Amino acid sequence: MAASDTGRAQQQIDEIEALSSIYGEDWCVVDEDEKIYCIKISDCLDQPKWTLCLQVILPPGYPTEEPPIYQLNAPWLRGQDYTELANSLEEIYLQNLGESILYLWVEKIREVLIEKAQSSEPEPDIKKTSEEVDEDDEDFLLDYEPIQEDPIKMLNYMASESQEDEELPPIHHGNPITDRRSTFQAHLAPVVTTRQVKRVLEKLYENKKIASATHNIYAYRIYCEDKQTFLQDCEDDGETAAGGRLLHLMQILNVHNVLVVVSRWYGGILLGPDRFKHINNCARNVLVE
């Protein structure tokens, strides 16, 4: 490894350690080998109104020769809001060429969120999600069958009522991963319409074990040939920012016309950031298969 490469690698290590120290639980390692990280940013610590997830990949040439590759994930972030924020981040990069800039990016995003919170803009109408919660009942899988309607309802405005004519795609189930009594399993189906996404989700929820999962996180990407754009969306199902991370993984792997669902059965022991690693590994394995 050349001296300059060694220097860049050390700069990246130093920056990652600093950010992990500064942001604590809001900093997440998505994939250490691929240098993929995620930072949850809010307008305030107590009862935040506006939240955004910044996902970054650090290429070998960062920070001296290449900018980070980034993705901004928030259900409310669309159109002009996205463009303005992206322009701000690129401007910061150009003003600080060759320097570590992730901290500057995070604080710029926080500044924008604080401005939104202080302005007269209405709060985003987003289903509240929660981090892991302790469960005393270790046998929750036996009798517990919650009604899992929300993820389906989210697609109702996109899917036609007459989905009976839409063919149900084949569903593939990946190998489960178990850690400290929590189990993760990915399910995959090829899809080309949102109606197919809805049908696959409904079919999965007919399975009592899947319906009883603590979280059913999903993401899909559909390539629209006529518009040459991607139709994509994701759902956390109570596991904050997990859907965005899953979608980001699919973008990195450049997969399309596919729906990935990761079921997680919580076993009573908190896994912390490891749960995101297992979600992504499950998804990556089923995509490779």
Side-chain angles (χ1 to χ4, degrees):
M1 184 182 282
S4 57
D5 293 340
T6 306
R8 280 195 293 266
Q10 189 58 50
Q11 280 180 283
Q12 289 191 16
I13 291 167
D14 292 343
E15 183 176 19
I16 289 161
E17 285 181 356
L19 292 168
S20 175
S21 171
I22 293 166
Y23 298 114
E25 291 183 358
D26 291 334
W27 170 267
C28 175
V29 178
V30 178
D31 190 321
E32 187 69 66
D33 294 336
E34 300 292 331
K35 299 286 181 69
I36 306 170
Y37 307 96
C38 180
I39 312 162
K40 181 183 171 189
I41 309 162
S42 304
D43 56 60
C44 67
L45 293 175
D46 301 322
Q47 297 181 322
K49 295 179 183 177
W50 298 88
T51 301
L52 184 149
C53 190
L54 170 67
Q55 294 172 334
V56 293
I57 307 174
L58 302 185
Y62 173 79
T64 56
E65 294 178 3
E66 293 179 87
I69 301 162
Y70 71 92
Q71 176 90 11
L72 301 168
N73 288 323
W76 53 267
L77 190 62
R78 297 285 185 272
Q80 188 67 20
D81 280 342
Y82 192 105
T83 303
E84 287 178 6
L85 189 49
N87 287 344
S88 296
L89 300 189
E90 278 148 32
E91 191 175 321
I92 288 171
Y93 169 71
L94 293 172
Q95 289 171 350
N96 298 273
L97 284 173
E99 297 176 21
S100 300
I101 57 165
L102 293 185
Y103 176 77
L104 296 176
W105 275 10
V106 173
E107 292 311 308
K108 176 61 184 178
I109 292 168
R110 194 185 311 283
E111 184 184 305
V112 169
L113 298 180
I114 289 170
E115 284 175 9
K116 279 188 167 295
Q118 292 173 344
S119 73
S120 57
E121 288 191 51
E123 291 180 40
D125 183 20
I126 302 163
K127 186 183 79 170
K128 293 291 187 290
T129 57
S130 60
E131 294 293 331
E132 286 185 342
V133 291
D134 244 330
E135 301 225 9
D136 295 324
D137 182 9
E138 295 178 8
D139 300 320
F140 71 96
L141 275 178
L142 299 178
D143 303 306
Y144 178 50
E145 286 184 37
I147 299 170
Q148 299 267 6
E149 290 182 355
D150 286 349
I152 301 268
K153 284 181 180 174
M154 290 186 68
L155 285 164
N156 280 346
Y157 75 100
M158 298 165 69
S160 161
E161 289 299 317
S162 59
Q163 74 250 18
E164 290 80 9
D165 299 332
E166 195 77 29
E167 185 182 349
L168 177 69
I171 301 173
H172 307 278
H173 304 283
N175 292 324
I177 294 175
T178 300
D179 179 13
R180 286 164 278 178
R181 299 210 301 263
S182 274
T183 299
F184 303 79
Q185 185 178 27
H187 323 279
L188 177 148
V191 293
V192 291
T193 68
T194 55
R195 291 190 298 277
Q196 284 186 327
V197 173
K198 185 167 182 278
R199 285 216 64 192
V200 171
L201 291 172
E202 287 172 338
K203 184 67 179 177
L204 285 172
Y205 293 136
E206 286 175 13
N207 181 304
K208 290 185 177 181
K209 184 177 180 185
I210 293 173
S212 72
T214 317
H215 309 289
N216 281 302
I217 301 133
Y218 73 74
Y220 65 85
R221 297 186 83 214
I222 297 170
Y223 185 65
C224 306
E225 195 78 49
D226 53 341
K227 299 176 184 174
Q228 294 191 326
T229 57
F230 282 98
L231 179 61
Q232 55 188 29
D233 204 355
C234 58
E235 163 63 27
D236 296 339
D237 194 26
E239 186 67 283
T240 306
R245 289 187 176 98
L246 180 57
L247 179 58
H248 192 51
L249 174 69
M250 294 167 71
Q251 292 165 339
I252 292 164
L253 297 176
N254 195 27
V255 297
H256 52 270
N257 296 345
V258 68
L259 162 70
V260 177
V261 181
V262 179
S263 302
R264 189 248 175 124
W265 293 271
Y266 177 56
I269 299 172
L270 299 175
L271 301 187
D274 281 351
R275 64 195 193 274
F276 297 115
K277 179 179 71 178
H278 296 321
I279 290 165
N280 266 19
N281 283 343
C282 272
R284 189 190 296 270
N285 292 343
V286 80
L287 285 164
V288 170
E289 288 168 18

